């Protein structure tokens, strides 16, 4: 997995293994990826990114006591930023801060998509690799838009090609056990999700 | 849990068009679980809000 930056503020992110305490900022823990921490470049980027967005993070202190309350936090992974809040009244103040912060992250830490290493993919799934760039869409809304625009025949061909391999995809994903999924595996998961949804539409 | 009506009111007060749906999330075994999701555009960016039991995720 190649990513320029990934960390969590205030609470660990379990699915991606961002669970090692890295430092404290205004009485709040910053967590980094256990998977990526041996990577020197990753560590440098995390430090640099936190320094760059520190002032924005402090502004999320809506409760005026510490950076984020219980069950509140921020998760940065590549260019994706997720913010967990407790109060609905905080939504727009938080979004306004995010809108200032996002360009800083996007400009300095752009996404670096991996070239998929076919050797690391189970042989029976390798013929699906060409589908990943177009159809492995993790965002629900984007996936729906893509499906709505696609021709019915195209979707039928996609289902016919991928559906017989869902068990193999599942087995591949399970092979990671408690370890975080690789970027390629995440793409296979998104592809499988799409095909399951298409099957449900029938 | 934050009531759905709270989120709807906040978005309406801000005069923002939104879509609300129950989305199916999948785990590794592709088993589904429904969550409330709002999608809207604000200042040329698209945002998603998910409602969980004890927090809101943007």
């Amino acid at each position: 997995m190649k990513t320029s930056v990934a960390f969590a503020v205030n609470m660990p992110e379990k699915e991606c293994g961002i669970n090692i305490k890295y430092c404290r900022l205004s009485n709040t823990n910053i967590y980094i990826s256990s998977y990526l921490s041996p990577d020197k470049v990753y560590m440098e980027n995390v430090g640099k990114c936190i320094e760059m967005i520190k002032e924005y993070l402090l502004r999320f202190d809506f409760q005026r006591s510490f950076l984020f309350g219980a069950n509140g936090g921020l998760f940065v992974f590549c260019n994706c930023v997720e913010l967990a809040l407790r109060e609905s009244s905080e939504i727009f103040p938080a979004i306004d801060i995010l809108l200032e912060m996002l360009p800083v992250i996007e400009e300095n830490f752009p996404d670096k998509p991996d070239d998929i290493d076919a050797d690391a993919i189970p042989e029976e799934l390798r013929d699906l690799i060409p589908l990943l760039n177009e159809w492995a869409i993790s965002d629900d809304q984007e996936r729906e838009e893509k499906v709505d625009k696609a021709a019915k025949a195209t979707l039928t061909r996609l289902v016919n090609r991928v559906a017989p391999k869902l068990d193999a995809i599942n087995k591949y994903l399970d092979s990671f056990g408690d370890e975080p999924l690789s970027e390629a595996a995440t793409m296979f998961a998104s592809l499988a999700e799409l095909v399951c949804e298409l099957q449900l539409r029938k | 849990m934050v009531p759905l009506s709270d989120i709807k009111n906040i978005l309406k007060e801000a005069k923002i068009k939104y879509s609300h749906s129950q989305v199916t999330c999948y785990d590794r075994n592709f088993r589904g679980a429904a969550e409330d999701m709002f999608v809207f555009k604000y200042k040329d960016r698209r945002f998603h809000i998910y409602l969980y039991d004890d927090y809101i995720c943007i």
Side-chain angles (χ1 to χ4, degrees):
Chain A
M1 182 162 59
K2 287 178 196 167
T3 180
S4 54
V5 66
F7 60 89
V9 180
N10 199 45
M11 56 182 186
E13 207 291 332
K14 289 173 188 165
E15 280 182 28
C16 297
I18 300 181
N19 52 14
I20 296 180
K21 276 185 198 173
Y22 170 68
C23 67
R24 278 180 75 76
L25 179 69
S26 299
N27 295 322
T28 301
N29 289 323
I30 308 278
Y31 297 87
I32 56 170
S33 163
S34 52
Y35 181 66
L36 294 168
S37 59
D39 184 329
K40 200 179 158 192
V41 175
Y42 164 72
M43 294 302 289
E44 283 171 7
N45 280 337
V46 166
K48 209 164 90 181
C49 186
I50 290 168
E51 194 54 41
M52 281 182 169
I53 64 168
K54 193 163 68 181
E55 295 309 313
Y56 300 103
L57 294 179
L58 295 171
R59 287 167 53 194
F60 287 119
D61 181 12
F62 300 115
Q63 300 188 17
R64 309 284 172 224
S65 53
F66 42 81
L67 196 57
F68 291 102
N71 296 325
L74 181 91
F75 169 53
V76 177
F77 187 84
C78 302
N79 273 346
C80 171
V81 177
E82 263 187 30
L83 186 61
L85 298 169
R86 293 189 74 184
E87 301 292 334
S88 49
S89 60
E90 294 168 352
I91 289 173
F92 278 104
I95 286 178
D96 284 331
I97 300 168
L98 279 178
L99 283 170
E100 289 180 48
M101 190 178 84
L102 282 170
V104 177
I105 297 175
E106 286 166 343
E107 195 176 311
N108 292 286
F109 306 97
D111 275 341
K112 291 178 183 171
D114 252 348
D115 291 329
I116 293 171
D117 176 9
D119 291 341
I121 308 294
E123 205 173 338
E124 59 191 321
L125 296 178
R126 284 179 199 162
D127 64 324
L128 300 183
I129 291 174
L131 299 176
L132 295 176
N133 274 342
E134 184 172 0
W135 295 103
I137 306 165
S138 59
D139 182 291
D140 300 320
Q141 188 73 17
E142 277 178 34
R143 205 164 53 236
E144 201 177 313
E145 284 169 11
K146 174 82 178 170
V147 166
D148 287 344
K149 285 177 190 164
K152 202 174 170 187
T154 306
L155 298 175
T156 304
R157 279 198 303 273
L158 181 70
V159 170
N160 290 344
R161 195 162 159 193
V162 179
K165 302 211 169 187
L166 285 175
D167 283 345
I169 294 175
N170 214 1
K171 201 172 151 191
Y172 171 49
L173 299 179
D174 281 342
S175 72
F176 287 82
D178 293 332
E179 293 298 311
L181 298 180
S182 67
E183 191 165 331
T186 306
M187 292 175 88
F188 271 104
S190 296
L191 178 68
E193 197 171 339
L194 169 69
V195 169
C196 288
E197 287 168 351
L198 290 173
Q199 286 181 308
L200 289 172
R201 279 186 173 208
K202 279 185 179 175
Chain B
M1 176 145 184
V2 175
L4 282 180
S5 55
D6 275 17
I7 307 290
K8 288 180 178 173
N9 285 339
I10 281 173
L11 294 170
K12 275 181 188 165
E13 276 172 23
K15 294 182 179 166
I16 287 173
K17 284 184 186 171
Y18 63 88
S19 67
H20 166 234
S21 54
Q22 278 253 314
V23 293
T24 307
C25 298
Y26 291 83
D27 65 13
R28 279 187 190 183
N29 297 314
F30 314 117
R31 286 185 291 256
E35 285 168 359
D36 281 296
M37 181 180 74
F38 292 85
V39 181
F40 57 93
K41 262 193 173 175
Y42 178 64
K43 296 184 181 173
D44 291 330
R45 292 264 194 175
R46 205 177 60 192
F47 291 89
H48 292 182
I49 294 180
Y50 289 91
L51 298 190
Y52 293 105
D53 283 346
D54 45 7
Y55 63 93
I56 309 157
C57 194
I58 300 175

